[in-house]
Amino acid sequence: MDKQIKAVILAAGKGTRMKSNTPKVLHKIFEKPLLGYVLDNVKNIVNEAFVIVGHHAEEVTAYVENNYVAAKTVLQSPQLGTGHAVSMVCPALENFDGQVIILCGDTPLIKEETLNNFVEYHNSNNSDLTVMSTIFENPTNYGRIIREADNSLKCIVEEKDATQEQKAVKEVNAGIYCLNWSKIKPAFSQLTSNNAQGEYYLTDIISWGKKNGLNVNAYILENSDEIYGINSRHNLAEAAKIMNDRKLYSLMENGVTIVDPSSTWISEDTEIGADTIVYPATYIEGKNKIGQNCKIGPCAHLRGGVEVADNCKIGNFVEVKKAKIDHNTNVGHLSYIGDSELGANVNIGAGTITANYNPLTKVKSKTVLKDDVKIGSNTVLVAPVTINEGANVGAGSVITKEVPSWALALTRTPLKILADWVKSQSK
Ligand code: UD1
Ligand code: CA
């Protein structure tokens, strides 16, 4: 399917204010880099995405290559501004005649639905260039949208170049654009850097478009949270909170009980069925699917790749990673379940550990528990290992080989009782 629409994602900047050795766009919310959110949000809209890399280019490129095979990276070196960054795709898009959406890699809260509306607005207005704007009560640091007396767009002025009067404008540039590529492309060889920062500003394509008689419009976004940009650690924490609140709200709308939203963290990529109850201090990151009527927490940690069927319990201080758990199964307390498959009606006693990782070989192995297995408390299941249907494991066991169906496995040393031993010790 050729939608003739491409994305350019700017991710070459330094991110000085993060004070970090990690490139800004690889800072994470719920273990997913900021850039990942942007790439995921455009992947159903565009048929090709270009990521502009520069600062820490190798790390950012490796992330894109390992996680988004369909995306391409383009090097910008040195980094001379956002306009210069976009011009890096000119050779690759030399003969392209469709649309280009430009986004920033540090703006992870934008929704796919909003981007769709934005492109639709661009098309229905026969726009050549559309910029997304929003109203901020505190517009500091954002580019200001400057309009003509008749309210049509004039230009965008950056904070550092703005007059007092312009600084008072609350309509800001969201940093998201839709362009009819072949019409706007010539602008990139005509941008200049005579401004306060000595950079080639992408924002100057607005006044360029106006001067060249093109149809230039602004799409005003109502929910300004979506274009919240990450420039500091404070912004990162705030964005995580916005993302989490959004997720908890939609889960509650769909019938999930969240006992204490203020202490519960659930990633965007987690699905939870109706009538499941999530107890306080639960942290769920990565991609997971939890069924209906489950009880999760308090203080549970799901680390991604977790699938839980209906009527299950993942209780207090239980950590689960990459595991498939069938219905009516309970992991009640103080356990670690990793790289595992648990059947239906399984009961895991308190303090059970799947020993899935060999730190010498760095190999992770799988634990398989078939239906109706019961594991006694304080058991270590040393993977790879399978416990077959209905088998029981006695408390305190260390299981290192396959247990047949309906058997009891036990590695406990026999209990010794020495009668009156205590008395015999005293003088
Ligand atoms: C930019 C806009 C501003 C807008 C704001 C929205 C310009 C000149 N200004 O400002 O109007 O309100 O975004 O968040 O565009 N980047 C590169 N190469 C470069 C420079 C930057 O790839 O040479 C990337 C950065 O990594 C970042 C994005 O472009 O992802 C935006 O750069 P940043 O420095 O954060 O721009 P702002 O000052 O926020
Ligand atoms: Ca920014």
Side-chain angles (χ1 to χ4, degrees):
M1 176 176 44
D2 192 1
K3 292 178 198 156
Q4 289 307 312
I5 173 158
K6 318 253 181 201
V8 174
I9 300 169
L10 306 185
K14 188 148 184 256
T16 316
R17 283 166 286 175
M18 295 300 282
K19 304 221 167 79
S20 176
N21 282 326
T22 302
K24 177 163 79 174
V25 295
L26 295 191
H27 277 265
K28 294 174 179 171
I29 297 177
F30 289 116
E31 291 309 296
K32 178 159 131 185
L34 303 179
L35 180 58
Y37 287 98
V38 182
L39 279 160
D40 282 341
N41 289 336
V42 295
K43 74 169 181 251
N44 294 327
I45 299 175
V46 304
N47 58 347
E48 195 173 27
F50 295 93
V51 179
I52 311 296
V53 298
H55 189 70
H56 281 289
E58 319 71 46
E59 278 170 71
V60 181
T61 301
Y63 171 71
V64 174
E65 284 176 355
N66 294 334
N67 295 280
Y68 296 90
V69 277
K72 295 196 170 78
T73 56
V74 179
L75 183 67
Q76 180 201 16
S77 177
Q79 293 93 47
L80 303 178
T82 48
H84 178 248
V86 176
S87 74
M88 297 295 113
V89 298
C90 287
L93 297 183
E94 169 116 48
N95 300 313
F96 180 64
D97 192 26
Q99 291 168 340
V100 171
I101 310 179
I102 301 171
L103 308 103
C104 294
D106 66 353
T107 310
L109 297 172
I110 189 76
K111 290 182 184 164
E112 181 182 320
E113 184 193 351
T114 301
L115 292 172
N116 272 322
N117 293 341
F118 176 59
V119 174
E120 201 183 298
Y121 174 94
H122 176 89
N123 290 333
S124 58
N125 283 280
N126 287 319
S127 191
D128 295 312
L129 167 57
T130 308
V131 58
M132 194 183 290
S133 75
T134 197
I135 311 297
F136 273 146
E137 269 318 300
N138 175 8
T140 315
N141 289 330
Y142 287 86
R144 307 298 202 281
I145 302 284
I146 308 301
R147 292 177 179 271
E148 305 278 10
D150 68 356
N151 213 32
S152 67
L153 283 190
K154 184 177 180 195
C155 61
I156 297 175
V157 178
E158 292 304 293
E159 172 92 22
K160 288 183 177 139
D161 301 289
T163 62
Q164 276 320 105
E165 195 188 341
Q166 289 170 330
K167 277 184 187 160
V169 172
K170 289 181 176 169
E171 187 181 2
V172 303
N173 171 22
I176 298 174
Y177 312 79
C178 183
L179 357 155
N180 291 351
W181 181 249
S182 54
K183 290 216 177 140
I184 309 296
K185 187 173 60 177
F188 292 101
S189 54
Q190 293 171 38
L191 295 177
T192 61
S193 60
N194 39 29
N195 50 55
Q197 305 188 75
E199 290 182 359
Y200 295 90
Y201 288 167
L202 177 58
T203 45
D204 287 347
I205 60 176
I206 305 298
S207 46
W208 183 91
K210 294 289 287 190
K211 266 180 224 135
N212 287 275
L214 299 179
N215 186 7
V216 182
N217 295 287
Y219 168 90
I220 306 176
L221 180 68
E222 296 258 329
N223 177 9
S224 53
D225 275 356
E226 287 189 43
I227 61 108
Y228 189 78
I230 313 293
N231 295 311
S232 68
R233 305 270 180 168
H234 304 286
N235 296 154
L236 186 65
E238 184 60 25
K241 198 172 169 317
I242 296 171
M243 196 179 281
N244 190 47
D245 287 347
R246 209 190 247 179
K247 181 66 187 183
L248 298 182
Y249 183 89
S250 96
L251 288 170
M252 290 189 273
E253 283 282 297
N254 289 298
V256 176
T257 293
I258 309 284
V259 175
D260 178 21
S262 70
S263 71
T264 302
W265 290 84
I266 302 179
S267 64
E268 223 176 36
D269 297 336
T270 294
E271 290 173 43
I272 305 185
D275 288 322
T276 283
I277 304 177
V278 183
Y279 291 93
T282 291
Y283 190 80
I284 303 180
E285 66 195 88
K287 199 168 178 171
N288 309 283
K289 196 170 174 184
I290 298 165
Q292 300 188 355
N293 271 311
C294 293
K295 291 189 159 112
I296 311 291
C299 301
H301 184 190
L302 274 60
R303 290 173 43 207
V306 176
E307 273 182 52
V308 181
D310 298 344
N311 305 312
C312 290
K313 183 172 177 194
I314 309 292
N316 319 257
F317 301 100
V318 171
E319 175 179 336
V320 189
K321 190 214 81 182
K322 235 177 145 186
K324 204 170 166 191
I325 300 178
D326 209 343
H327 60 87
N328 294 320
T329 284
N330 292 334
V331 189
H333 340 256
L334 302 158
S335 292
Y336 171 61
I337 304 296
D339 299 296
S340 300
E341 243 178 76
L342 277 51
N345 309 310
V346 168
N347 192 69
I348 304 285
T352 296
I353 306 295
T354 55
N356 60 328
Y357 181 58
N358 181 335
L360 302 179
T361 59
K362 298 201 168 23
V363 171
K364 286 184 184 143
S365 305
K366 202 166 167 187
T367 301
V368 178
L369 273 53
K370 299 285 176 61
D371 293 350
D372 297 303
V373 161
K374 314 291 176 205
I375 306 291
S377 295
N378 203 30
T379 293
V380 181
L381 300 163
V382 183
V385 70
T386 298
I387 318 278
N388 286 295
E389 194 187 346
N392 281 21
V393 171
S397 297
V398 177
I399 303 299
T400 51
K401 59 180 189 220
E402 182 164 356
V403 176
S405 297
W406 310 107
L408 170 68
L410 198 61
T411 62
R412 208 179 291 160
T413 47
L415 172 68
K416 247 193 270 178
I417 295 191
L418 306 181
D420 289 329
W421 182 86
V422 178
K423 282 184 184 164
S424 76
Q425 299 296 302
S426 40
K427 299 206 170 98

